[in-house]
Amino acid sequence: MREVADRAGVAMSSVSRVLSGHPDVSPVMRERVMATVDELGYQPDLLAQSLRRRATLTVALVVGDIANPLFAEIVTGAERELRAAGYSMLLANSDRAPDRDAAHIRLFQQRRVDGLLLSLAAEDHEPTVELLRATDTPVVLLDRDVDGGLVASVVQSDHRSGVRAATEELLALGHRRIGLILGGPMRPTRERRAGLTDAYESRGIDVPDLILEGVLSAEHGREAARDLLNREDPPTALISGGNQLLVGCLAEIVERGLRIGRDISLASCDAIPMTDLYQPPIAVVRRDNREIGRTAARLLLDRLRDDARPPETVTLPTTWVRRPSCGPVG
Amino acid sequence: MREVADRAGVAMSSVSRVLSGHPDVSPVMRERVMATVDELGYQPDLLAQSLRRRATLTVALVVGDIANPLFAEIVTGAERELRAAGYSMLLANSDRAPDRDAAHIRLFQQRRVDGLLLSLAAEDHEPTVELLRATDTPVVLLDRDVDGGLVASVVQSDHRSGVRAATEELLALGHRRIGLILGGPMRPTRERRAGLTDAYESRGIDVPDLILEGVLSAEHGREAARDLLNREDPPTALISGGNQLLVGCLAEIVERGLRIGRDISLASCDAIPMTDLYQPPIAVVRRDNREIGRTAARLLLDRLRDDARPPETVTLPTTWVRRPSCGPVG
DNA sequence: GATAGGGTCGCAATCGATTCCAGAATCGAC
DNA sequence: GTCGATTCTGGAATCGATTGCGACCCTATC
């Protein structure tokens, strides 16, 4: 920049004003500076700008596992929205470890990111919550209920209605023993459980003891399915609360040689290509994952543009998609 | 930092020396500073550090589509490796648009990232290549051959052997008309084509005109499959050159009601959960995607640590996994 | 007791920008 | 011709750190 200023025979402040579109600059000066700028191919140092302007135009996104198609799509949506607004995205994996969430939040604060998009590994991890409560960088949570007076925007999905619809359909098909395989103790899990319960209760039927919580992984999906299917009075239908869990479920079902839709009915949360293409196609509680990412980014950007804007909570819909994987009870 | 210095009654330079582990610092001074540091909960500003040290501890990764499971896993591997080395990762999507590659590279250079990990959308996009040639930030390319005197490290996969093995197997099963559905004109596509050709030629058979190039998307996969299957003399086996293409292929096959492994044989590059769990399971040319990401990150880190280190090219293996989706010709 | 030398510490410049403030230049009006 | 108002421009402080260099103190040696 000094080089540009010297070469153009003007002060650095003038160069700065031209480049940042300041109004107080004469046409001749603008002309002169612009000429030297692209004569030298000068590009301003965003690092120095960030330091001085106290804004990095950077947002960090922390998720449990980028390789999970759900998150991959959320990331895609968020990245597009952020890019359009001129922001760059730092991405980090927590590997579902709450401590790593905290470490990342600390790190990104030191990097002076303008905002945080978080899919926390736990809702009640004290160090993390403490950190978030103390910070004044805007935060958007993805499908998490964090208590303790934390003020943050939230983007959540209406899992409850979706799973309720799924359960109602299975009940209507005559199923009474419906297994539900869930991830960790967080909002989506609670909502899905509630959705199942809703459906049973609206029919005045007792909810059978076939709900298994664990962690959002294929391994747990498989073990849970095995556990349920090994029981004396096994479920006639399974609902998987996540695409990774479905993969495990399906592995177990395939190994047992069960015919989906006949020997056992199957439904899952979160569509992936496999759910659509499997034979028979697998019923799903679908949602628009990219829209989740876009909405989260938008909520954050709104707060970045307007300091006084209060945090909001947005609930996005889910839709139950019936498919042949759900058949009448055998 | 000034606050810490004042409160401890020492100079800022001393605080800096203590925190950065400089040797010229007495134990009593270290004690004194450390005490005030965690009394005030002081955390250094990484932005200012980066400006002064001329190193941001940041690496940018540009891919065509994060939602593609292949990239999602590469990203995972790279992120883990970078994080372990203390680096943060900026992630950007090019949406397979070469211009966006160039824009991102420019942007990240202005952000003074220490290195670039690139899965370019095109190998011969002049602005991009020009940019890379001019820059002196270390670059690692993912499975791309870029000419024009560009010096960069490369991580590539041995697609050729994998597809050759697949083709040989199909030929041994009696197939003669094998369709190959490919992505854009880049290294993996060329290699896969060569693999198929190798296999045919080693048997002394002419390669049939059943190779379709396009773009790495489910839509193209579907259209290509439709095109091939509509021909007068359609292929008896299909090889898909990528998991997204497979999704499209499979959609077309399912719609036509073809029985995989009987009416038509099917193989794909790049395993996803679906290939393993489908009934019948789908044969794949498998590779270790996370290892690709890890290796790329490692190559970059090596060059960041040692300025003089020359760029390297690493070729990672693929394995052909035979599965019932490949059956004898009907 | 004077001096050399090693170990610490503080001052101030620097990284590359932005922005406040004051002063110069321009112009028109009297 | 002078003054005042207006518009631009340049100087210098600032953002929050790092680091070269000189000053200081203390100890050991003659």
Side-chain angles (χ1 to χ4, degrees), chain A residues 5-318:
Chain A
D6 288 353
R7 201 145 156 65
V10 301
M12 284 172 55
S13 44
S14 298
V15 177
S16 172
R17 268 187 289 259
V18 168
L19 291 175
S20 52
H22 198 84
D24 286 359
V25 53
S26 67
V28 50
M29 167 69 81
R30 163 163 302 124
E31 186 57 31
R32 208 164 157 55
V33 169
M34 290 310 271
T36 2
V37 160
D38 47 45
E39 179 185 338
L40 294 182
Y42 162 79
Q43 293 186 327
D45 184 322
L46 293 183
L47 214 55
Q49 281 191 346
S50 301
L51 179 61
R52 183 57 229 238
R53 291 185 168 157
R54 325 190 61 69
T56 51
L57 285 178
T58 305
V59 162
L61 172 48
V62 183
V63 299
D65 176 17
I66 319 173
N68 182 332
L70 167 65
F71 288 124
E73 294 195 342
I74 290 178
V75 169
T76 304
E79 193 266 351
R80 194 158 309 175
E81 197 75 17
L82 292 172
R83 169 154 43 90
Y87 284 75
S88 294
M89 188 183 75
L90 282 163
L91 182 63
N93 234 332
S94 72
D95 297 324
R96 293 193 225 95
D99 281 337
R100 219 159 296 173
D101 275 340
H104 279 133
I105 293 169
R106 237 188 311 266
L107 171 67
F108 290 134
Q109 287 190 158
Q110 283 190 251
R111 284 187 177 272
R112 300 285 181 264
V113 298
D114 296 336
L116 290 167
L117 254 32
L118 303 174
S119 174
L120 295 177
E123 290 178 337
D124 52 3
H125 186 246
E126 202 37 59
T128 304
V129 177
E130 181 57 40
L131 223 45
L132 290 177
R133 217 177 300 138
T135 186
D136 56 351
T137 42
V139 172
V140 176
L141 299 177
L142 298 169
D143 238 328
R144 296 289 182 271
D145 281 339
V146 175
D147 48 340
L150 167 61
V151 285
S153 294
V154 180
V155 178
Q156 55 193 19
S157 299
D158 183 13
H159 306 287
R160 187 164 180 169
S161 310
V163 172
R164 175 176 179 150
T167 310
E168 281 172 350
E169 170 115 16
L170 288 167
L171 288 173
L173 286 166
H175 295 276
R176 286 300 173 267
R177 299 187 56 74
I178 304 171
L180 180 61
I181 300 177
L182 296 168
M186 279 165 294
R187 186 179 181 281
T189 292
R190 284 195 302 275
E191 291 289 303
R192 286 166 181 151
R193 178 196 289 271
L196 183 105
T197 308
D198 285 351
Y200 269 99
E201 286 180 351
S202 76
R203 284 207 170 219
I205 311 177
D206 281 350
V207 182
D209 182 24
L210 294 168
I211 304 179
L212 252 43
E213 275 193 31
V215 54
L216 220 55
S217 73
E219 292 67 39
H220 168 243
R222 178 146 198 179
E223 283 159 21
R226 184 180 303 144
D227 176 344
L228 289 172
L229 295 174
N230 276 342
R231 297 203 180 173
E232 205 162 317
D233 192 4
T236 59
L238 285 179
I239 301 178
S240 127
N243 63 59
Q244 301 290 87
L245 295 172
L246 173 66
V247 169
C249 263
L250 209 46
E252 185 64 21
I253 290 174
V254 165
E255 185 176 297
R256 289 175 180 248
L258 297 175
R259 291 166 305 170
I260 294 171
R262 300 175 55 89
D263 303 327
I264 189 160
S265 286
L266 182 64
S268 178
C269 296
D270 295 337
I272 48 176
M274 179 164 61
T275 52
D276 303 352
L277 292 172
Y278 208 78
Q279 296 294 74
I282 298 169
V284 288
V285 175
R286 186 187 284 280
R287 49 180 168 153
D288 186 340
N289 300 329
R290 297 191 186 207
E291 179 61 20
I292 294 174
R294 275 195 299 269
T295 304
R298 226 153 16 213
L299 249 43
L300 190 60
L301 292 170
D302 284 346
R303 292 189 61 198
L304 292 178
R305 279 189 271 257
D306 176 6
D307 229 14
R309 204 183 167 102
E312 299 171 60
T313 294
V314 174
T315 307
L316 296 173
T318 58

Side-chain angles (χ1 to χ4, degrees), chain B residues 54-68:
Chain B
R54 324 191 60 69
T56 51
L57 286 179
T58 304
V59 163
L61 172 48
V62 184
V63 300
D65 175 18
I66 318 171
N68 182 332

Side-chain angles (χ1 to χ4, degrees), chain B residues 143-158:
Chain B
D143 238 330
R144 295 288 180 275
D145 280 340
V146 175
D147 48 340
L150 166 62
V151 284
S153 294
V154 180
V155 179
Q156 56 192 19
S157 300
D158 184 12

